[in-house]
Amino acid sequence: MGKAVERMNEVMKHILNLLLFVMVIVVFAQVLIRYIFDQPLAWSEELARYILVWITFLGAAYAMSKKAHVGVEIVVKLFPKNFQKIVTVLSALLSLFFFGMMIYQGYLFVERTMAQTSAVLQLPMGGVYFVIPLSGVLISINLIYYVIQELRGEG
């Protein structure tokens, strides 16, 4: 499982880098063309906004893989070692419930908005919002992997 999760996170990192690169190019082109030709690109703001949404959600999943989310470890460290593992598992279960709801409700949201298109690019909005359940799955995988590592003492 470890190699597959690490490979998934490596691919996610490259996707995030590519999305950031595209967003920078699109915004730079928008600014350049606006000042050179005094005409804004109609599609650039919309594309940059949707890319930012994807970067935000996928970035949250990638941050989970790097254990970069905010946590209150100092409180957990006050407890005995065995109780620390129980707290870790309980917090992971609560988080997995939230991410499960994110996946389920995100999927329903994608279904409802697939027929709706964006104003300029005419993209199906369900495709834009697909990142919500996708990131819920990726975060859940990373969280489960993290908890397994912690329980084994590898974390």
Side-chain angles (χ1 to χ4, degrees), residues 55-89:
I55 288 172
T56 301
F57 279 93
L58 289 180
Y62 187 70
M64 181 65 78
S65 76
K66 297 297 180 190
K67 301 174 191 159
H69 282 283
V70 176
V72 188
E73 287 184 12
I74 192 164
V75 175
V76 176
K77 300 281 185 203
L78 294 174
F79 295 111
K81 207 67 158 158
N82 289 340
F83 195 69
Q84 288 179 15
K85 289 183 178 185
I86 293 170
V87 171
T88 299
V89 170

Short mmCIF file of all heavy atoms in Angstrom, two decimals, residues 55-89:
data_model
loop_
_atom_site.label_atom_id
_atom_site.label_comp_id
_atom_site.label_asym_id
_atom_site.label_seq_id
_atom_site.Cartn_x
_atom_site.Cartn_y
_atom_site.Cartn_z
N ILE A 55 -6.40 23.56 -7.56
CA ILE A 55 -5.16 23.62 -6.78
C ILE A 55 -5.47 23.59 -5.29
O ILE A 55 -4.78 22.92 -4.51
CB ILE A 55 -4.34 24.88 -7.14
CG1 ILE A 55 -3.73 24.73 -8.54
CG2 ILE A 55 -3.25 25.16 -6.11
CD1 ILE A 55 -3.06 25.99 -9.06
N THR A 56 -6.50 24.29 -4.87
CA THR A 56 -6.86 24.34 -3.45
C THR A 56 -7.23 22.97 -2.92
O THR A 56 -6.71 22.52 -1.90
CB THR A 56 -8.02 25.33 -3.24
OG1 THR A 56 -7.62 26.62 -3.70
CG2 THR A 56 -8.41 25.40 -1.78
N PHE A 57 -8.13 22.28 -3.61
CA PHE A 57 -8.59 20.98 -3.13
C PHE A 57 -7.52 19.90 -3.26
O PHE A 57 -7.31 19.11 -2.33
CB PHE A 57 -9.88 20.56 -3.85
CG PHE A 57 -11.10 21.21 -3.28
CD1 PHE A 57 -11.60 22.39 -3.81
CD2 PHE A 57 -11.77 20.64 -2.22
CE1 PHE A 57 -12.72 22.99 -3.28
CE2 PHE A 57 -12.90 21.23 -1.68
CZ PHE A 57 -13.38 22.42 -2.22
N LEU A 58 -6.85 19.85 -4.40
CA LEU A 58 -5.77 18.87 -4.55
C LEU A 58 -4.60 19.19 -3.62
O LEU A 58 -3.94 18.28 -3.10
CB LEU A 58 -5.28 18.80 -6.00
CG LEU A 58 -6.23 18.18 -7.01
CD1 LEU A 58 -5.61 18.19 -8.40
CD2 LEU A 58 -6.63 16.77 -6.61
N GLY A 59 -4.38 20.47 -3.39
CA GLY A 59 -3.33 20.88 -2.46
C GLY A 59 -3.62 20.42 -1.04
O GLY A 59 -2.71 20.06 -0.29
N ALA A 60 -4.90 20.42 -0.66
CA ALA A 60 -5.27 19.92 0.67
C ALA A 60 -4.95 18.43 0.78
O ALA A 60 -4.45 17.96 1.81
CB ALA A 60 -6.75 20.16 0.93
N ALA A 61 -5.20 17.68 -0.28
CA ALA A 61 -4.88 16.25 -0.28
C ALA A 61 -3.38 16.03 -0.23
O ALA A 61 -2.88 15.16 0.49
CB ALA A 61 -5.48 15.57 -1.51
N TYR A 62 -2.64 16.84 -0.98
CA TYR A 62 -1.18 16.71 -0.96
C TYR A 62 -0.61 17.11 0.39
O TYR A 62 0.33 16.48 0.90
CB TYR A 62 -0.56 17.54 -2.09
CG TYR A 62 0.92 17.32 -2.22
CD1 TYR A 62 1.42 16.11 -2.69
CD2 TYR A 62 1.83 18.30 -1.85
CE1 TYR A 62 2.78 15.88 -2.80
CE2 TYR A 62 3.19 18.08 -1.96
CZ TYR A 62 3.66 16.86 -2.44
OH TYR A 62 5.01 16.65 -2.54
N ALA A 63 -1.19 18.14 0.99
CA ALA A 63 -0.74 18.57 2.32
C ALA A 63 -0.95 17.46 3.34
O ALA A 63 -0.14 17.28 4.26
CB ALA A 63 -1.47 19.84 2.75
N MET A 64 -2.03 16.69 3.20
CA MET A 64 -2.26 15.57 4.10
C MET A 64 -1.15 14.54 3.96
O MET A 64 -0.71 13.95 4.94
CB MET A 64 -3.63 14.93 3.81
CG MET A 64 -3.98 13.77 4.72
SD MET A 64 -4.18 14.22 6.45
CE MET A 64 -5.80 14.95 6.42
N SER A 65 -0.65 14.36 2.75
CA SER A 65 0.43 13.39 2.55
C SER A 65 1.73 13.84 3.20
O SER A 65 2.57 13.02 3.56
CB SER A 65 0.66 13.16 1.04
OG SER A 65 1.35 14.25 0.47
N LYS A 66 1.89 15.13 3.36
CA LYS A 66 3.11 15.68 3.98
C LYS A 66 2.89 16.02 5.46
O LYS A 66 3.77 16.62 6.08
CB LYS A 66 3.56 16.96 3.23
CG LYS A 66 3.94 16.70 1.80
CD LYS A 66 5.13 15.79 1.75
CE LYS A 66 5.54 15.50 0.32
NZ LYS A 66 6.54 14.45 0.25
N LYS A 67 1.74 15.65 5.99
CA LYS A 67 1.38 15.94 7.39
C LYS A 67 1.50 17.43 7.67
O LYS A 67 1.99 17.86 8.73
CB LYS A 67 2.26 15.14 8.35
CG LYS A 67 2.15 13.65 8.15
CD LYS A 67 3.14 12.91 9.01
CE LYS A 67 3.17 11.46 8.58
NZ LYS A 67 4.37 10.77 8.98
N ALA A 68 1.04 18.23 6.73
CA ALA A 68 1.18 19.68 6.83
C ALA A 68 -0.09 20.37 7.31
O ALA A 68 -0.12 21.59 7.39
CB ALA A 68 1.58 20.25 5.47
N HIS A 69 -1.13 19.62 7.63
CA HIS A 69 -2.34 20.24 8.15
C HIS A 69 -2.15 20.58 9.62
O HIS A 69 -1.41 19.93 10.35
CB HIS A 69 -3.55 19.30 7.97
CG HIS A 69 -4.07 19.29 6.58
ND1 HIS A 69 -4.85 20.30 6.06
CD2 HIS A 69 -3.92 18.39 5.58
CE1 HIS A 69 -5.15 20.02 4.82
NE2 HIS A 69 -4.59 18.87 4.49
N VAL A 70 -2.85 21.61 10.04
CA VAL A 70 -2.74 22.08 11.41
C VAL A 70 -3.31 21.03 12.36
O VAL A 70 -4.36 20.45 12.12
CB VAL A 70 -3.51 23.41 11.57
CG1 VAL A 70 -3.50 23.87 13.01
CG2 VAL A 70 -2.92 24.47 10.66
N GLY A 71 -2.61 20.79 13.42
CA GLY A 71 -3.07 19.85 14.44
C GLY A 71 -2.63 20.33 15.81
O GLY A 71 -1.76 21.20 15.93
N VAL A 72 -3.22 19.79 16.84
CA VAL A 72 -2.88 20.17 18.21
C VAL A 72 -2.16 18.99 18.85
O VAL A 72 -2.73 18.26 19.64
CB VAL A 72 -4.14 20.58 19.00
CG1 VAL A 72 -3.75 21.16 20.35
CG2 VAL A 72 -4.98 21.57 18.22
N GLU A 73 -0.93 18.79 18.47
CA GLU A 73 -0.15 17.65 18.96
C GLU A 73 0.23 17.79 20.42
O GLU A 73 0.37 16.80 21.13
CB GLU A 73 1.13 17.48 18.13
CG GLU A 73 0.89 16.94 16.76
CD GLU A 73 2.19 16.69 16.01
OE1 GLU A 73 3.27 16.73 16.64
OE2 GLU A 73 2.12 16.47 14.80
N ILE A 74 0.37 19.01 20.90
CA ILE A 74 0.83 19.21 22.27
C ILE A 74 -0.15 18.60 23.27
O ILE A 74 0.26 18.05 24.28
CB ILE A 74 1.09 20.71 22.56
CG1 ILE A 74 1.83 20.86 23.87
CG2 ILE A 74 -0.20 21.50 22.58
CD1 ILE A 74 2.47 22.22 24.06
N VAL A 75 -1.44 18.67 22.97
CA VAL A 75 -2.45 18.10 23.86
C VAL A 75 -2.35 16.57 23.83
O VAL A 75 -2.39 15.92 24.87
CB VAL A 75 -3.87 18.57 23.48
CG1 VAL A 75 -4.92 17.88 24.31
CG2 VAL A 75 -3.98 20.08 23.60
N VAL A 76 -2.20 16.01 22.66
CA VAL A 76 -2.11 14.55 22.51
C VAL A 76 -0.86 14.02 23.22
O VAL A 76 -0.90 12.98 23.87
CB VAL A 76 -2.12 14.15 21.02
CG1 VAL A 76 -1.94 12.65 20.85
CG2 VAL A 76 -3.40 14.62 20.35
N LYS A 77 0.23 14.76 23.14
CA LYS A 77 1.50 14.32 23.74
C LYS A 77 1.44 14.28 25.27
O LYS A 77 2.28 13.66 25.91
CB LYS A 77 2.65 15.22 23.30
CG LYS A 77 2.87 15.26 21.81
CD LYS A 77 3.61 14.06 21.33
CE LYS A 77 3.91 14.22 19.85
NZ LYS A 77 4.12 13.00 19.17
N LEU A 78 0.45 14.94 25.86
CA LEU A 78 0.32 14.92 27.32
C LEU A 78 -0.18 13.58 27.85
O LEU A 78 0.02 13.26 29.01
CB LEU A 78 -0.65 16.04 27.77
CG LEU A 78 -0.18 17.47 27.54
CD1 LEU A 78 -1.31 18.45 27.88
CD2 LEU A 78 1.06 17.79 28.33
N PHE A 79 -0.83 12.80 26.98
CA PHE A 79 -1.40 11.52 27.39
C PHE A 79 -0.36 10.40 27.30
O PHE A 79 0.64 10.52 26.59
CB PHE A 79 -2.60 11.17 26.50
CG PHE A 79 -3.75 12.12 26.65
CD1 PHE A 79 -4.09 12.99 25.63
CD2 PHE A 79 -4.50 12.16 27.82
CE1 PHE A 79 -5.15 13.88 25.76
CE2 PHE A 79 -5.56 13.03 27.97
CZ PHE A 79 -5.89 13.90 26.94
N PRO A 80 -0.62 9.28 28.00
CA PRO A 80 0.27 8.11 27.86
C PRO A 80 0.28 7.60 26.42
O PRO A 80 -0.66 7.83 25.66
CB PRO A 80 -0.36 7.07 28.80
CG PRO A 80 -1.32 7.81 29.66
CD PRO A 80 -1.68 9.07 28.95
N LYS A 81 1.33 6.89 26.05
CA LYS A 81 1.53 6.41 24.68
C LYS A 81 0.34 5.63 24.14
O LYS A 81 -0.08 5.86 23.00
CB LYS A 81 2.80 5.53 24.67
CG LYS A 81 3.50 5.48 23.35
CD LYS A 81 4.09 6.81 23.01
CE LYS A 81 5.21 6.67 22.01
NZ LYS A 81 5.46 7.88 21.29
N ASN A 82 -0.22 4.71 24.93
CA ASN A 82 -1.37 3.91 24.45
C ASN A 82 -2.59 4.78 24.19
O ASN A 82 -3.31 4.56 23.23
CB ASN A 82 -1.73 2.82 25.46
CG ASN A 82 -0.68 1.73 25.49
OD1 ASN A 82 0.09 1.58 24.54
ND2 ASN A 82 -0.64 0.98 26.58
N PHE A 83 -2.81 5.77 25.04
CA PHE A 83 -3.96 6.66 24.86
C PHE A 83 -3.76 7.57 23.65
O PHE A 83 -4.72 7.96 23.00
CB PHE A 83 -4.22 7.47 26.14
CG PHE A 83 -5.57 8.12 26.16
CD1 PHE A 83 -6.72 7.34 26.27
CD2 PHE A 83 -5.69 9.49 26.05
CE1 PHE A 83 -7.97 7.94 26.27
CE2 PHE A 83 -6.93 10.09 26.05
CZ PHE A 83 -8.08 9.32 26.17
N GLN A 84 -2.50 7.91 23.37
CA GLN A 84 -2.21 8.73 22.19
C GLN A 84 -2.67 8.02 20.92
O GLN A 84 -3.22 8.65 20.01
CB GLN A 84 -0.71 9.02 22.09
CG GLN A 84 -0.21 10.00 23.11
CD GLN A 84 1.29 10.23 23.00
OE1 GLN A 84 1.92 9.87 22.00
NE2 GLN A 84 1.86 10.82 24.03
N LYS A 85 -2.47 6.70 20.87
CA LYS A 85 -2.90 5.94 19.69
C LYS A 85 -4.43 5.94 19.59
O LYS A 85 -4.98 6.06 18.49
CB LYS A 85 -2.37 4.51 19.76
CG LYS A 85 -0.88 4.44 19.54
CD LYS A 85 -0.37 3.03 19.54
CE LYS A 85 1.13 3.02 19.27
NZ LYS A 85 1.67 1.69 19.13
N ILE A 86 -5.11 5.84 20.72
CA ILE A 86 -6.58 5.86 20.72
C ILE A 86 -7.08 7.21 20.23
O ILE A 86 -7.99 7.27 19.40
CB ILE A 86 -7.12 5.54 22.13
CG1 ILE A 86 -6.81 4.09 22.51
CG2 ILE A 86 -8.62 5.80 22.21
CD1 ILE A 86 -7.09 3.75 23.96
N VAL A 87 -6.47 8.29 20.70
CA VAL A 87 -6.86 9.64 20.26
C VAL A 87 -6.61 9.81 18.77
O VAL A 87 -7.43 10.38 18.05
CB VAL A 87 -6.13 10.71 21.10
CG1 VAL A 87 -6.34 12.10 20.52
CG2 VAL A 87 -6.59 10.66 22.55
N THR A 88 -5.48 9.29 18.30
CA THR A 88 -5.16 9.37 16.87
C THR A 88 -6.21 8.66 16.03
O THR A 88 -6.69 9.19 15.03
CB THR A 88 -3.76 8.77 16.60
OG1 THR A 88 -2.80 9.50 17.34
CG2 THR A 88 -3.43 8.79 15.13
N VAL A 89 -6.60 7.46 16.46
CA VAL A 89 -7.60 6.69 15.73
C VAL A 89 -8.96 7.37 15.78
O VAL A 89 -9.66 7.47 14.76
CB VAL A 89 -7.68 5.24 16.27
CG1 VAL A 89 -8.88 4.50 15.68
CG2 VAL A 89 -6.39 4.49 15.96
#
